[in-house]
Amino acid sequence: MAQNVLVAIKFVDPQCKSEDLVTEVHYLIEDLRDLDGMSQTRFETISELRDVAETRVGVEFRAPSNLLESILRRLRDRLYYHPIETCFRFRIAELMLQIQTHQAEDLIGFMAAAQSGLLFSPERDYLAEAETYSRTQGELSPTERDNLNLLRQRLGLTAEQAEVLNARAAGPYPTQADKRRHFEDITAAEFSRLRGMDAGPPFAPKDIWPVLQELAENLGLSILEAEAIFKTHQQRYADHLRLQTEHTRAKTADDARLSAEAKAEAERQKQAQREQEHYDQYRELCRQGMAKGIYPSEFDQGRLDQARRLWNVPVEQALQLEAEVRDELYGGVATAAGVDYSRLRGLLHRQAWHEADLETEVAILRAVNLDMQPVTAATVQRLSPVDIATIDGLWQRYSRGRFGFKAQQQVYRSQQQIQPDDRQRCLAFERALGWSQEPAWLSRGYRPYHSLNFSLEAPPGHLPTWRWCCPSLSDRYRINLQVMAAVIHHLNDCMPLESVPIPALDSTFPTQLA
């Protein structure tokens, strides 16, 4: 059940005239009566003798304790708009609270106490004693803790309740080390703010020590200790200002000595930086336009053309940036033989494995300049490492490492560990790749080219085929063993496999001759 609070409010401003006081008392009663739950409250006026006549100077009433918060809020608002010196007195059971003020802010403490509920419980007395100890020493000593423990027992509080109140009294920084560290951090932040303000327009610096001193007092930190911390940061700030002043003077002197040539160079660098920023923006726009395909859509290409004109990107530079982004997203097409691998990249991107294999053959024959004649053990040396890496990189990228020259090298290495004989090793290599099968009656196991597996279900290294070194494709896909050995040797020279792990082979393909 809520307790009753006896409230007495008296205007004590000597400058107020009697008729003004009567008016203030009248409006005070009306304001309080408008509050929820106060319409039936009985208000008793307080009178005193003024100017040889009795004058109303205040009011007294009883109200439930659960209305105290709203009453205090209404009184605070009145002081805010009518700052008249007023004496407020509240009696709650054995507790008497009194304050005289004309400032609305002074009632905030009363409001906080009412909101917390500590005005009406034993916790109030315990918290008051704990706060007194905390303010005196900064943190609770063993003796103070023992005194508080005795008070806890006397008030009938549990140990858990007391610990909560101790923590509340100590605040967020219970130990001296915590208080010192927090004061150090806040002091550093204040001077950091001053440094930031130094970089802006000139301002009149404000002495920050008074507010820091107030913080130290609220924390329960020794003023001498707080002042020492403040002076340390103040000296650092003074050193910072001195260095900043010296730097400003030196910069001014350097600017004065700058020649027209140096200024032109600085402007050129700024222009180059702006151009680079535009190039970077265009590159990012290219990346967005090519996110869904190797070449941008008509709409995205229109955006690129508009951006190129807006940012003054030369056509040649724009084409180069587009090519770089395309290579980054979909694989590079570098060549040392002047071969265009764009079509191969497009076919692999669409996973058109058969067409990509045929395009690989055309590209390799162009790279070695054989006019569509098969590659031999001698002419395979013309295939440059750059072109080999490009073809391998594209096949690896779009098959996720399943196809490509490196995958074929790995299969060959695994056969090298099994088959000591060169001829048997090459035959087993072909079968492991799925290019041939076990010999049968009237068949040596060679498969027609059109029967090869042009899908991701093919064995590792199955593609690209080496039809570019086959003398004939009329009946069987068959590679000369001497040419095969030369190709493997050339691939190993161009792309050593020392750091490449050997993948597990498909168990459905034999690795030894029957």
Side-chain angles (χ1 to χ4, degrees):
M1 181 181 294
Q3 301 181 47
N4 280 332
V5 181
L6 178 61
V7 182
I9 306 168
K10 181 179 179 182
F11 299 111
V12 294
D13 192 339
Q15 304 299 325
C16 283
K17 297 179 180 179
S18 297
E19 55 270 23
D20 293 335
L21 289 174
V22 172
T23 301
E24 288 295 332
V25 171
H26 172 74
Y27 285 114
L28 172 61
I29 294 174
E30 292 299 319
D31 285 345
L32 293 173
R33 202 184 297 276
D34 284 341
L35 293 174
D36 290 340
M38 293 285 290
S39 60
Q40 302 300 321
T41 301
R42 181 178 178 180
F43 294 88
E44 300 287 345
T45 57
I46 301 174
S47 302
E48 66 178 25
L49 194 63
R50 279 199 175 196
D51 300 329
V52 197
E54 194 171 66
T55 303
R56 294 180 179 179
V57 295
V59 64
E60 189 176 80
F61 60 92
R62 291 182 181 275
S65 59
N66 57 1
L67 297 179
L68 181 57
E69 182 183 347
S70 58
I71 293 171
L72 287 170
R73 185 177 294 108
R74 180 60 56 88
L75 295 176
R76 179 202 63 186
D77 293 342
R78 283 185 56 82
L79 280 184
Y80 183 84
Y81 292 104
H82 301 283
I84 300 175
E85 190 73 11
T86 308
C87 178
F88 302 90
R89 186 169 66 249
F90 307 87
R91 179 182 292 278
I92 308 165
E94 301 298 323
L95 176 66
M96 171 71 78
L97 301 175
Q98 179 172 313
I99 183 173
Q100 180 173 317
T101 182
H102 66 278
Q103 296 181 349
E105 293 79 8
D106 290 342
L107 290 181
I108 293 178
F110 279 81
M111 292 178 61
Q115 291 171 343
S116 67
L118 292 178
L119 292 175
F120 319 108
S121 64
E123 286 91 337
R124 176 198 61 216
D125 295 335
Y126 186 93
L127 181 60
E129 190 70 12
E131 287 177 341
T132 301
Y133 284 150
S134 295
R135 290 194 188 96
T136 304
Q137 300 295 333
E139 59 183 286
L140 296 177
S141 68
T143 303
E144 291 168 340
R145 284 188 176 276
D146 193 54
N147 287 338
L148 287 173
N149 187 47
L150 294 174
L151 178 61
R152 173 188 70 78
Q153 297 175 8
R154 199 161 56 245
L155 294 174
L157 298 175
T158 66
E160 291 75 11
Q161 289 175 310
E163 282 303 316
V164 171
L165 294 172
N166 288 343
R168 182 170 177 177
Y173 314 102
T175 68
Q176 283 293 98
D178 293 334
K179 299 176 191 298
R180 191 180 304 108
R181 190 180 305 110
H182 178 68
F183 185 83
E184 178 90 34
D185 292 343
I186 295 300
T187 304
E190 285 289 345
F191 280 103
S192 177
R193 181 179 63 86
L194 290 180
R195 291 188 184 93
M197 296 172 66
D198 290 339
F203 69 100
K206 184 176 70 173
D207 186 7
I208 61 175
W209 169 244
V211 292
L212 288 174
Q213 183 179 9
E214 182 180 356
L215 174 62
E217 292 172 352
N218 290 332
L219 289 172
L221 190 65
S222 165
I223 297 300
L224 291 178
E225 188 174 7
E227 190 173 12
I229 295 173
F230 169 77
K231 288 183 176 179
T232 299
H233 285 275
Q234 187 181 43
Q235 183 60 47
R236 293 175 185 171
Y237 176 65
D239 294 341
H240 163 76
L241 289 180
R242 177 177 54 78
L243 292 175
Q244 189 177 47
T245 302
E246 293 175 357
H247 175 73
T248 302
R249 290 175 180 172
K251 186 177 183 303
T252 302
D254 290 341
D255 290 344
R257 289 192 299 269
L258 278 176
S259 62
E261 182 179 351
K263 290 181 180 179
E265 175 64 19
E267 183 61 30
R268 188 195 66 77
Q269 292 180 358
K270 289 181 181 179
Q271 179 64 26
Q273 182 178 358
R274 285 194 293 268
E275 289 180 356
Q276 186 60 48
E277 289 174 355
H278 290 160
Y279 292 167
D280 293 342
Q281 290 173 326
Y282 189 82
R283 184 190 301 274
E284 181 58 29
L285 196 60
C286 289
R287 188 174 286 107
Q288 296 173 10
M290 298 180 191
K292 296 182 179 179
I294 297 179
Y295 296 95
S297 65
E298 183 177 352
F299 173 77
D300 289 327
Q301 187 61 54
R303 291 180 61 205
L304 288 173
D305 293 340
Q306 185 179 16
R308 177 180 59 78
R309 291 190 292 270
L310 177 64
W311 294 328
N312 296 320
V313 179
V315 176
E316 297 78 6
Q317 183 67 32
L319 293 175
Q320 179 182 341
L321 291 172
E322 291 174 16
E324 290 175 359
V325 172
R326 190 174 292 111
D327 290 351
E328 173 190 333
L329 296 178
Y330 298 101
V333 290
T335 178
V339 179
D340 185 3
Y341 292 102
S342 299
R343 185 169 185 273
L344 174 60
R345 177 172 59 188
L347 292 170
L348 289 171
H349 180 256
R350 299 198 304 271
Q351 295 196 344
W353 306 111
H354 191 183
E355 292 85 346
D357 188 64
L358 295 176
E359 179 64 21
T360 301
E361 176 189 15
V362 173
I364 289 178
L365 293 179
R366 286 175 180 170
V368 296
N369 195 23
L370 286 181
D371 193 22
M372 305 309 291
Q373 295 299 314
V375 174
T376 65
T379 57
V380 72
Q381 304 298 323
R382 300 181 192 173
L383 192 56
S384 75
V386 175
D387 290 75
I388 289 176
T390 296
I391 296 171
D392 176 67
L394 291 174
W395 277 95
Q396 280 202 71
R397 173 186 285 263
Y398 291 103
S399 68
R400 297 184 179 177
R402 190 171 188 83
F403 300 147
F405 293 144
K406 280 192 177 178
Q408 293 168 353
Q409 287 174 274
Q410 292 164 1
V411 173
Y412 186 84
R413 170 180 281 183
S414 67
Q415 297 303 319
Q416 199 173 28
Q417 297 172 349
I418 299 172
Q419 301 288 351
D421 179 72
D422 290 343
R423 182 176 182 279
Q424 297 300 324
R425 185 186 310 132
C426 290
L427 293 174
F429 170 66
E430 287 183 301
R431 288 199 293 273
L433 294 180
W435 292 352
S436 65
Q437 53 195 3
E438 284 289 343
W441 187 60
L442 299 179
S443 171
R444 301 185 62 182
Y446 296 109
R447 301 176 62 184
Y449 174 76
H450 64 78
S451 71
L452 298 180
N453 190 344
F454 296 99
S455 73
L456 285 174
E457 296 178 358
H462 187 72
L463 299 175
T465 67
W466 294 4
R467 59 177 280 151
W468 36 272
C469 59
C470 290
S472 173
L473 294 173
S474 58
D475 55 353
R476 295 290 184 264
Y477 171 56
R478 179 180 179 183
I479 305 171
N480 181 279
L481 297 185
Q482 182 181 2
V483 176
M484 181 184 296
V487 172
I488 287 293
H489 184 270
H490 186 56
L491 290 177
N492 288 337
D493 285 344
C494 296
M495 297 188 302
L497 273 182
E498 283 76 11
S499 60
V500 178
I502 299 174
L505 297 180
D506 192 331
S507 60
T508 61
F509 291 92
T511 58
Q512 300 186 41
L513 291 175

